[in-house]
Amino acid sequence: MIFKSINPFTQAVIAEHEVVTDAQLTQKLQLSESAFKHWRTTSFQERADKMKKLANILRSKKDELGLLITNEMGKILAEGIAEVEKSAGNCDFYAENAERMLRDERYDTPFKSMSVYDPSGAVFAIMPWNYPFWQVLRYAAPAIMAGNVTLLKHAPNVIGCAKAIEKAFLEAGFPEGVFQQINIDIPQVERVIASDIVSGVTLTGSEMAGSSVAALAGKHIKKSVLELGGSDAFIVLNDADLEKATTVATQSRMLNAGQACICAKRFIVTEKVADEFAALFAQKVSALQQGNPLESGIHMGPLARIDLAEKLSYQLEHSLKQGAKIVVGGEREHCNFQPTLIDFVDANNIAFQEETFGPLATIIRAKDENDAIAIANNHRYGLAAAIWTEDREKAYTLARTVEAGNVFVNSLVRSDSRIPFGGIKKSGYGRELSEIGIKEFMNMKSVIIE
């Protein structure tokens, strides 16, 4: 079987990558096992030196790697370069903080007692195409700094990015087998999860993929962390700064051509300010230029694959049949989807019920703030949300009632190495980033000395 990397703007085939044979997969699993036996014994300083070097390599090659991202999945070049820089920053963060995060924890008992954190083995990662460097380094930097090794199954359309990341790890001096990318097909996934060297699985992707992988992990009694779909609420109350809110709303929905789990997707606005919000939002969306991601002045490139563009077209068409009204946009040519805003969406609309993975923003009108929170919580996903109000005390109270793993007030929802990230409900479980993220795949061992 062959995986093809296709430029989504030109539709040209960039490269073809062969799926590994069963014999090759066995060799890779054996290499992970031997690498772990050595890597787990290395000092934090040795790991940090290599991780710092990796960060420097990423920064020195950010233009080249940013272009690779653009060519493989279509985001504008500036966003590709920024993604590489953010990935490098995450490497630095864990190089500088891993030892502190994993120090022994002492307990107040009459005898000597503590918890220690031991690396658990190989972390098997199944990662998506939308942030092909960040999603990988987000889990790999903490896992490897903690003494684990990793096997990466990347999305088939960004194998070039996966190979570039592996090459950077080797160039930074990491031993062979500490980080391996493996081109495997779906039937080979269970074999990896079942392997004795694999201690856990982390997946960022669709709800369906997460459900399947969680079932396999449970079958083989392996820890799993899932970051799945999102239909994030962007809640705008009567006293919100509408100029700032619509500026951030445009960025939050249209960044990366709308292809992010934490993109705002449901803009829930109280009736009193809904008309003004819709008009300002429409102006800003109309100003966006979609086109060749390598050209200056372009705000967003194409969607990453033709099937994704076709699905979004289907969702838009059915949303309109169900009573939504187009305010801006709505046109598509191949993978090029015009930035689009629709209004008068309700909870029965497909654009409300499903995750819309692309530049389609939906306005839902709420009677008041209580109704807005109820609408926000009326969804199977619970990844993130934003609340817009000038009343900070009220914002804190409301944030506690929103059913999501992350709530931002008067700000763009984003991930940050210092802050735990993850969702609830069908958006998954477990956390990445921060001190919590590095401990997800560790053996927390209690040690008691009389």
Side-chain angles (χ1 to χ4, degrees):
M1 184 176 179
I2 301 291
F3 291 147
K4 289 185 178 181
S5 177
I6 299 173
N7 183 307
F9 185 74
T10 66
Q11 291 298 296
V13 176
I14 300 168
E16 296 183 346
H17 310 277
E18 289 189 2
V19 171
V20 299
T21 65
D22 287 343
Q24 289 170 326
L25 181 55
T26 296
Q27 291 175 342
K28 288 181 176 292
L29 290 168
Q30 290 172 343
L31 181 57
S32 278
E33 186 171 24
S34 61
F36 177 62
K37 288 177 182 176
H38 163 70
W39 187 247
R40 68 178 301 169
T41 66
T42 57
S43 68
F44 280 106
Q45 188 59 57
E46 182 179 344
R47 298 173 203 164
D49 289 343
K50 290 177 171 56
M51 193 62 70
K52 282 280 191 181
K53 187 173 180 182
L54 174 63
N56 291 335
I57 289 169
L58 293 175
R59 289 192 184 93
S60 69
K61 296 183 176 181
K62 64 182 181 181
D63 293 337
E64 170 192 337
L65 298 175
L67 180 60
L68 174 60
I69 294 172
T70 296
N71 286 336
E72 284 207 309
M73 61 73 57
K75 70 178 66 184
I76 61 173
L77 184 57
E79 290 180 352
I81 292 170
E83 181 181 336
V84 176
E85 291 176 326
K86 184 174 183 179
S87 301
N90 196 52
C91 293
D92 281 335
F93 176 77
Y94 281 104
E96 294 162 4
N97 292 288
E99 184 173 11
R100 172 186 59 80
M101 291 173 170
L102 296 175
R103 65 191 172 195
D104 296 350
E105 294 182 13
R106 307 276 178 171
Y107 301 109
D108 184 13
T109 58
F111 41 84
K112 188 175 183 179
S113 59
M114 70 198 78
S115 288
V116 300
Y117 292 91
D118 293 338
S120 58
V123 178
F124 177 41
I126 302 172
M127 291 291 115
W129 47 264
N130 57 336
Y131 288 92
F133 272 70
W134 169 243
Q135 298 283 10
V136 173
L137 274 304
R138 187 167 80 177
Y139 90 85
I144 290 171
M145 275 302 304
N148 293 309
V149 299
T150 185
L151 292 150
L152 166 68
K153 180 198 180 306
H154 218 328
N157 57 323
V158 291
I159 298 299
C161 290
K163 288 184 173 182
I165 296 169
E166 183 177 47
K167 182 180 177 182
F169 267 96
L170 292 171
E171 188 178 338
F174 288 90
E176 265 193 290
V178 171
F179 179 98
Q180 290 187 87
Q181 72 89 20
I182 50 174
N183 297 340
I184 60 173
D185 198 13
I186 292 172
Q188 295 170 303
V189 167
E190 182 169 5
R191 187 175 165 211
V192 177
I193 294 174
S195 171
D196 288 340
I197 182 58
V198 172
S199 59
V201 187
T202 180
L203 178 142
T204 298
S206 70
E207 179 184 344
M208 184 180 297
S211 177
S212 298
V213 167
L216 289 173
K219 175 183 175 181
H220 296 285
I221 316 181
K222 304 293 175 74
K223 173 75 178 286
S224 58
V225 170
L226 305 178
E227 197 258 274
L228 308 178
S231 188
D232 290 4
F234 189 103
I235 303 163
V236 182
L237 304 183
N238 290 342
D239 63 344
D241 180 338
L242 296 185
E243 179 61 38
K244 182 180 178 183
T246 51
T247 297
V248 175
T250 306
Q251 182 184 8
S252 183
R253 173 68 278 209
M254 303 301 173
L255 188 70
N256 205 37
Q259 300 170 115
C261 296
I262 57 170
C263 277
K265 299 182 178 79
R266 295 178 297 142
F267 295 86
I268 303 166
V269 189
T270 51
E271 285 180 340
K272 184 176 180 180
V273 295
D275 286 342
E276 186 180 356
F277 177 88
L280 286 169
F281 198 5
Q283 288 176 13
K284 292 175 171 62
V285 172
S286 297
L288 298 176
Q289 297 297 313
Q290 190 280 328
N292 187 336
L294 295 177
E295 289 183 3
S296 61
I298 296 297
H299 299 100
M300 75 172 66
L303 296 185
R305 299 193 313 261
I306 191 67
D307 61 305
L308 301 169
E310 289 170 347
K311 180 178 180 180
L312 193 63
S313 290
Y314 172 86
Q315 291 171 317
L316 173 59
E317 178 185 340
H318 280 260
S319 296
L320 299 177
K321 287 179 180 177
Q322 293 171 320
K325 305 294 182 187
I326 277 199
V327 182
V328 172
E331 299 298 320
R332 176 180 74 87
E333 183 179 359
H334 303 299
C335 290
N336 296 290
F337 204 106
Q338 192 176 10
T340 301
L341 173 63
I342 58 176
D343 200 351
F344 302 103
V345 172
D346 61 31
N348 297 314
N349 196 291
I350 190 174
F352 183 101
Q353 295 174 345
E354 295 184 0
E355 180 177 27
T356 52
F357 218 65
L360 171 61
T362 63
I363 295 177
I364 301 107
R365 295 172 179 240
K367 295 177 186 141
D368 51 34
E369 65 186 48
N370 291 329
D371 189 35
I373 299 298
I375 292 169
N377 290 340
N378 180 28
H379 209 282
R380 70 181 188 277
Y381 291 135
L383 187 55
I387 299 173
W388 288 80
T389 174
E390 293 297 281
D391 187 334
R392 293 173 65 88
E393 276 193 36
K394 179 197 291 183
Y396 174 75
T397 301
L398 294 177
R400 297 295 299 268
T401 68
V402 172
E403 296 169 0
N406 311 264
V407 180
F408 285 63
V409 176
N410 297 335
S411 176
L412 177 76
V413 173
R414 60 199 180 277
S415 56
D416 185 303
S417 298
R418 299 163 293 183
I419 303 170
F421 181 83
I424 60 171
K425 300 182 178 179
K426 301 298 185 183
S427 289
Y429 51 74
R431 291 295 181 266
E432 294 183 290
L433 303 175
S434 78
E435 183 172 328
I436 293 174
I438 198 173
K439 291 177 177 176
E440 284 282 14
F441 293 104
M442 303 298 287
N443 173 24
M444 183 180 180
K445 180 194 297 179
S446 296
V447 177
I448 297 92
I449 303 172
E450 290 285 358

